[in-house]
Amino acid sequence: MEMPRTAGSRRKDYNKTGPTESLPFRFETGLALYAKRTPRPFPPPFLSPPSGSFSDPLSTHHMSRDRRTFVNGELIRGLTNGDDAVYVSDMFIGANDGVGAWSTRPGGHAGLWSRLILHFWALEIEADAQRIRPAGQRYEPNPIEYLQKAYEQTIEATSKPNKWQGTTTATGAQLHYQKADSDPNAPATPLLYVTNLGDSQVLVLRPHDSELIYKTKEQWHWFDCPRQLGTNSPDTPRKNAVMDKVSIKENDVVLAMSDGVIDNLWEHEIIECVVSSIRKWESGEGGPSTGDRTGGAGGGMKFVADELVRAAKVIATDPFAESPFMEHAVEEGLAMEGAHITMRGKRSKQYRKLMQQYGLSFGFREPYQVILDAEIIRTADRFKMDLVAGLERTLQGQVKPMITQCSMRHLYAASKEPGMAAVIDQAKTYERRRCNHLPEDYPEPLSTKECLSSVVDPKGNKTNKHRYVVASQELEVRKLMRGVMGVPLVYINRSVMIMEPMAGATAENREREERQKFRDGLKGGRGSGSLKRKREEDEAGEKGAEGETTGEPKKTKKRKGPKGPNPLSVKKPKKRPEQAGEGSEPNAKPKRRRKHKSSAAKTGVSTDATDAAGEDDGDD
Ligand SMILES: [Zn+2]
C-alpha cells in the first residue's frame, strides 16, 4: 500500500512568518511518499484545470500528480498519495489513510476524503491558534474538536453538488508548548498533541538515545478494519478519536505514517533507520543543507523521510522478507503467498486479482454464488460480522449467499443454544440450495463435506460446475474443495475473512492455460484445450465443453489470432507482413495456417500447437 510519511523535528525560536510566529517551537519537516497506485484526479468542483503560470507549492510532488485543487475557493492543503493524504507545516503534521476499497465503487473517492479532512483539520488548527483572545487567556489546542469540525466540513463538501463517498483514518500531531504554572519565568517546553482515529501512526523518537518515546495505539473494529471517518462509518472524532499529550524535547523526531511504513518495518528498524540517517546527514551526506545540520536540521528531515520510505519499500517489494504485517498475518492464520498480502492494501489487491483470475479462467461472474456452511454463519455472528458485507469486501463484488438444506438442518440442530434463533433467522434470508438430501432419505443431515461436495461437484469429476464460491469453516471441506478445479475458498479466522490462494490443482491448470496461451501467442492461433475457450463456448450456449464442433471455434480463432492478449503475439504481426511481403506465397500461407487451425479444432482437446509451431518454423 501507499506509504506517505512525514518526519518532524523542532527547532527553538526559529523566526518565521506564519501562524507559528508566537510559538516558541516549530517543526522542521520533511516528507516522502511512495504510492503503488497513481492517485486519481479529484473530481469537479475540487479540481481546476492546471495553471500554466505557477504551480501549487504544496502539491508539486511528482508522484502526487495533483493539479490545482480547491475547496471553498481555497487551495486544498497537503499532498495526495494514492488514496492517502499527508500534510506538513511547522506546527502540525498529519497522515490520513484513505480506504482503497472505495475506488471500486461508483461515486467512491477515498483520496478526496482523506485529503479534505486533513485540509480542514489544518485550517481549523491554524484558525484557532491565531484567534485573538482576551488578555491572560492562553491558547490551548483542542485537536479532536478541530478534527470533528473538519469531518463535518468534509461531509458538507462531498455532499453537493455531487456526492462523493469514502472513508479515511486520521492521525496528526500538533506542536505546542507548556509552562510550569508554579513558575511564570520557567522556560517553555515543547508539548505534542497527538490525535488518532484508526491505524495510521504517530511515533516520537529520541535519536540521541535511540529511544522510542511514544507511539499511538491503533484503533480497530476488527483486524484489518480500522476505525475510520466517512461514508457509512459509525465513527466520529468526538466519539472515537483519542488524543495524547506528549512531552518532548528539542531534536526529538516525530513521524506520522500510514501503514506502508508500519507494516513493513519493525519499531527497532524505524529507530535504527532514523538514527543512522541523522548521523549520515550530520556528516554531510544526503544533499546540501540550508544551514546547521545538527540533529537533522537544515533540511535533514527530508533525507530521513526518504531513507525511511526507501527501507520500507525494500521490504514491501521483497517477496521473502519478513515484516511486522506478515508476522501479524501469521498469527492471524492468513495464508501466505509471497509478498502479495504483506499489506492490507496489497491483500485487497491480491483478492481482486484472484477473482479476476477466477473470472478469466473459470467464468466466475457477479453476483458470485457463495455456499455458506452452518459454521461460518455462526462464526460471523459470534464476531458480530456482517457476513454478506464481508464476502463482498473479500470477493470484491456482489454476492448471492446460499445455504444447503443440510447446513440449514445443522443450524436447527443447535437451535437450543443461546442466540441461535437470530442466527437461524439470518440464515433463512439466504437462498436455499436444494441439495436433495431430504429428511425422508437422510434422517440425519449429511456432513458439510458430503453435502457440499455433492452440490459443488455433483459428478465427482473435479469440476465446479456451477461456479460456486465455498465459504466454510471446516478445514476438511476446504481441503477437499482444493482438489476440485476452480473453487474460490473463503473462511473466517479470528474475525478476519480470508480467501485462500488458488489451490494447487487450480493454479496448475491456470498455468497450463497460460503456457498454452504463450504457445498460441507464438502460433497466432489458439490452442484447443484452453479453459478460456471452453468458457467462451459455455457462454455461447453451454454446449459442447470440449469444442467438438468445427465451425464455431474456427470463427473465434480467425478473429482472435491476430490480436492475441499475449505480449508475444506482438511478434506475430511483424512476421506476417514479412511473409506476405515475400510475394510469391501470400495466398498459400494463410491457407496452410487455416489448415492447422481447423485440424486443431477437429482434434479437440489434443494439443496441436507444438507441431504446428514446428511446421511454422520450417516455413520460415
Ligand atoms: Zn445436503
Side-chain angles (χ1 to χ4, degrees):
M1 191 165 181
E2 307 79 20
M3 38 180 75
R5 54 152 325 268
T6 59
S9 118
R10 322 120 302 97
R11 231 78 304 251
K12 200 180 167 186
D13 294 325
Y14 201 92
N15 227 347
K16 213 189 169 238
T17 55
T20 55
E21 255 176 339
S22 59
L23 300 173
F25 304 99
R26 67 175 285 268
F27 278 136
E28 171 137 338
T29 61
L31 69 88
L33 307 171
Y34 166 51
K36 294 290 276 186
R37 195 150 51 85
T38 330
R40 288 191 299 157
F42 283 175
F46 304 103
L47 178 74
S48 304
S51 151
S53 55
F54 63 101
S55 60
D56 173 9
L58 289 168
S59 297
T60 49
H61 193 280
H62 69 284
M63 283 217 232
S64 81
R65 281 184 74 223
D66 262 2
R67 279 169 284 177
R68 296 176 63 75
T69 48
F70 291 87
V71 61
N72 304 339
E74 193 149 1
L75 214 53
I76 303 181
R77 303 281 186 97
L79 282 170
T80 287
N81 186 45
D83 293 311
D84 302 350
V86 291
Y87 177 76
V88 295
S89 77
D90 46 16
M91 67 181 300
F92 176 65
I93 65 173
N96 287 2
D97 189 342
V99 175
W102 287 102
S103 62
T104 61
R105 308 256 181 119
H109 204 309
L112 185 64
W113 270 83
S114 61
R115 180 86 173 271
L116 284 179
I117 285 188
L118 204 45
H119 163 80
F120 288 124
W121 198 8
L123 290 190
E124 284 298 323
I125 291 171
E126 284 174 20
D128 195 34
Q130 286 170 308
R131 191 160 296 145
I132 294 159
R133 279 158 231 287
Q137 191 187 325
R138 267 213 316 240
Y139 166 58
E140 170 74 26
N142 191 351
I144 291 181
E145 207 43 41
Y146 306 147
L147 182 57
Q148 177 69 31
K149 284 183 185 154
Y151 167 64
E152 288 162 8
Q153 289 170 74
T154 303
I155 291 175
E156 205 184 311
T158 52
S159 301
K160 52 176 190 190
N162 297 311
K163 196 165 166 57
W164 290 101
Q165 303 187 313
T167 49
T168 181
T169 68
T171 309
Q174 181 182 351
L175 180 60
H176 198 58
Y177 65 97
Q178 61 190 344
K179 273 184 170 169
D181 285 337
S182 53
D183 179 4
N185 295 320
T189 56
L191 184 65
L192 198 65
Y193 290 65
V194 183
T195 309
N196 184 40
L197 189 144
D199 69 334
S200 288
Q201 267 195 349
V202 166
L203 296 189
V204 183
L205 312 182
R206 190 153 296 161
H208 184 262
D209 308 324
S210 292
E211 197 187 340
L212 179 73
I213 302 294
Y214 170 84
K215 173 186 159 182
T216 44
K217 278 191 199 70
E218 298 168 353
Q219 299 178 308
W220 306 92
H221 287 289
W222 54 78
F223 176 67
D224 229 19
C225 178
R227 283 200 186 281
Q228 49 202 278
L229 298 174
T231 315
N232 299 339
S233 172
D235 305 328
T236 68
R238 235 172 245 150
K239 262 189 352 214
N240 306 105
V242 170
M243 198 268 288
D244 291 317
K245 293 187 200 177
V246 187
S247 288
I248 57 175
K249 289 184 184 170
E250 238 183 286
N251 288 326
D252 282 351
V253 171
V254 182
L255 306 169
M257 307 176 288
S258 80
D259 56 2
V261 173
I262 318 151
D263 279 350
N264 287 291
L265 298 178
W266 274 283
E267 270 160 37
H268 72 268
E269 291 175 315
I270 295 176
I271 297 170
E272 258 169 48
C273 181
V274 169
V275 169
S276 79
S277 305
I278 288 177
R279 279 204 195 110
K280 281 185 198 162
W281 178 257
E282 285 176 331
S283 72
E285 282 180 64
S289 72
T290 57
D292 177 30
R293 303 174 81 104
T294 313
M301 285 303 116
K302 169 72 182 145
F303 176 63
V304 172
D306 285 339
E307 289 291 290
L308 206 55
V309 164
R310 204 165 57 93
K313 205 169 152 184
V314 167
I315 303 296
T317 51
D318 177 354
F320 303 107
E322 287 169 32
S323 68
F325 185 89
M326 217 181 236
E327 194 173 87
H328 194 183
V330 169
E331 275 171 28
E332 297 284 347
L334 299 195
M336 285 294 141
E337 198 181 304
H340 295 295
I341 52 161
T342 54
M343 290 188 269
R344 179 181 50 186
K346 272 194 168 175
R347 204 178 75 198
S348 130
K349 204 176 282 175
Q350 174 74 358
Y351 286 173
R352 196 177 317 147
K353 239 170 134 188
L354 252 179
M355 286 319 289
Q356 275 169 5
Q357 287 171 358
Y358 279 115
L360 282 173
S361 302
F362 300 98
F364 279 79
R365 293 276 181 282
E366 288 177 58
Y368 300 118
Q369 307 188 91
V370 185
I371 302 225
L372 303 158
D373 75 356
E375 203 42 49
I376 201 167
I377 298 172
R378 300 185 65 176
T379 305
D381 179 71
R382 206 172 308 135
F383 287 115
K384 307 263 172 286
M385 277 174 86
D386 181 337
L387 187 52
V388 174
L391 286 166
E392 296 198 321
R393 256 199 322 271
T394 304
L395 302 175
Q396 314 209 0
Q398 299 218 303
V399 303
K400 188 206 276 180
M402 304 174 100
I403 182 167
T404 68
Q405 214 94 315
C406 295
S407 295
M408 208 62 215
R409 287 170 73 191
H410 291 152
L411 291 177
Y412 284 127
S415 61
K416 295 261 151 52
E417 294 174 33
M420 276 310 282
V423 173
I424 289 169
D425 279 349
Q426 180 62 43
K428 279 181 184 164
T429 66
Y430 305 143
E431 185 172 311
R432 198 70 60 86
R433 174 60 164 85
R434 308 213 177 276
C435 55
N436 288 324
H437 306 129
L438 304 173
E440 301 93 276
D441 308 326
Y442 302 93
E444 289 294 313
L446 293 192
S447 72
T448 309
K449 192 172 155 186
E450 288 168 313
C451 180
L452 291 199
S453 73
S454 83
V455 165
V456 172
D457 181 16
K459 287 190 184 151
N461 58 0
K462 306 286 174 214
T463 318
N464 182 5
K465 191 170 168 232
H466 303 284
R467 303 185 186 104
Y468 287 128
V469 176
V470 172
S472 171
Q473 286 303 91
E474 282 183 38
L475 196 60
E476 281 301 307
V477 172
R478 297 202 305 274
K479 220 188 236 173
L480 185 85
M481 291 299 164
R482 281 178 214 137
V484 179
M485 212 66 88
V487 186
L489 293 169
V490 173
Y491 63 100
I492 296 170
N493 186 304
R494 288 212 239 162
S495 85
V496 188
M497 192 173 282
I498 310 293
M499 175 157 50
E500 291 196 359
M502 255 192 196
T506 303
E508 236 169 64
N509 196 74
R510 216 179 61 78
E511 235 169 67
R512 205 175 325 139
E513 191 207 339
E514 290 294 312
R515 275 201 302 275
Q516 187 70 46
K517 269 195 219 151
F518 178 92
R519 285 188 194 138
D520 295 345
L522 284 172
K523 253 316 284 162
R526 291 191 61 82
S528 42
S530 97
L531 275 160
K532 174 133 197 269
R533 217 194 73 213
K534 271 193 206 164
R535 181 174 64 79
E536 281 161 3
E537 283 159 8
D538 280 359
E539 276 166 5
E542 296 273 329
K543 63 182 171 194
E546 307 301 344
E548 243 111 4
T549 49
T550 45
E552 210 187 342
K554 222 198 265 173
K555 236 197 260 164
T556 322
K557 273 177 208 162
K558 249 189 236 160
R559 207 184 54 226
K560 288 256 159 132
K563 55 152 199 169
N566 192 297
L568 281 159
S569 62
V570 173
K571 273 185 174 172
K572 204 56 206 170
K574 250 192 233 159
K575 263 189 185 175
R576 278 200 173 145
E578 265 171 40
Q579 287 168 346
E582 277 160 25
S584 54
E585 310 174 324
N587 295 323
K589 290 254 171 185
K591 242 182 227 159
R592 231 180 269 168
R593 197 165 278 117
R594 222 176 290 136
K595 210 169 82 192
H596 290 315
K597 275 185 219 159
S598 58
S599 80
K602 268 178 210 150
T603 44
V605 180
S606 79
T607 55
D608 286 9
T610 39
D611 315 335
E615 278 175 55
D616 227 24
D617 288 344
D619 284 350
D620 292 341

